[in-house]
Amino acid sequence: NIWFIGFKPHKQMLEHRERWLYSFLAQLLRPLDPPAPARSLLAASSRRTSGTIAKVDMYRYRMAEPLLQILRAPAADRVWWRREHEEILVPPVVLRPDGNLAY
C-alpha cells in the first residue's frame, strides 16, 4: 500500500491528478542497475527485486471494530483493518523498450 486515493471516480482521478503513478510504475519496472529513485519508497526487501509486470488494485479499508474494542484485545490478536477489493485501477502493464508502459 503506497498511497490513498479517496475521490471517486477513481479512474478519472488517476488520469488527472494522480497521473504520476504511471511514471512510478515505469521506474519500478526498470532494470535494477542503475537503481530508480522510486525504489527508495519501497520496503528494503523489495528494492532488490525487479518485476516485469505491474498492476494497481483499489481496496476499501474500514476499521475492523470500534477503537475501544480493538484496544481491549491482546496486542498480538488485534485486527485493525478489514479491506475489500473495489476495482483494478491499472491493469497489468509491462515496460516497453522505449521506456513507456504497455497494457
Side-chain angles (χ1 to χ4, degrees), residues 3-22 56-62 84-91:
W3 109 106
F4 172 82
I5 183 170
F7 302 106
K8 290 187 177 185
H10 299 125
K11 289 194 187 271
Q12 184 178 347
M13 292 299 293
L14 188 62
E15 294 299 324
H16 295 93
R17 189 187 78 181
E18 307 294 343
R19 191 122 185 93
W20 60 268
L21 183 63
Y22 296 105
V56 179
D57 290 322
M58 174 71 180
Y59 287 88
R60 180 180 184 146
Y61 283 81
R62 298 174 193 219
E84 301 168 13
H85 187 265
E86 277 202 12
E87 63 185 295
I88 297 172
L89 285 178
V90 179

Side-chain angles (χ1 to χ4, degrees), residues 32-86:
L32 291 175
D33 191 28
R39 290 196 175 279
S40 67
L41 300 172
L42 302 176
S45 60
S46 297
R47 291 180 202 156
R48 295 182 296 274
T49 61
S50 180
T52 57
I53 300 172
K55 76 173 194 153
V56 179
D57 290 322
M58 174 71 180
Y59 287 88
R60 180 180 184 146
Y61 283 81
R62 298 174 193 219
M63 286 196 78
E65 303 288 341
L67 181 59
L68 289 177
Q69 278 185 267
I70 294 170
L71 294 175
R72 287 184 187 125
D77 296 335
R78 289 181 185 157
V79 176
W80 290 90
W81 302 102
R82 300 222 188 278
R83 74 178 192 169
E84 301 168 13
H85 187 265
E86 277 202 12

Side-chain angles (χ1 to χ4, degrees), residues 29 51-55 92-95:
L29 292 172
T52 57
I53 300 172
K55 76 173 194 153
V93 293
V94 296
L95 188 65

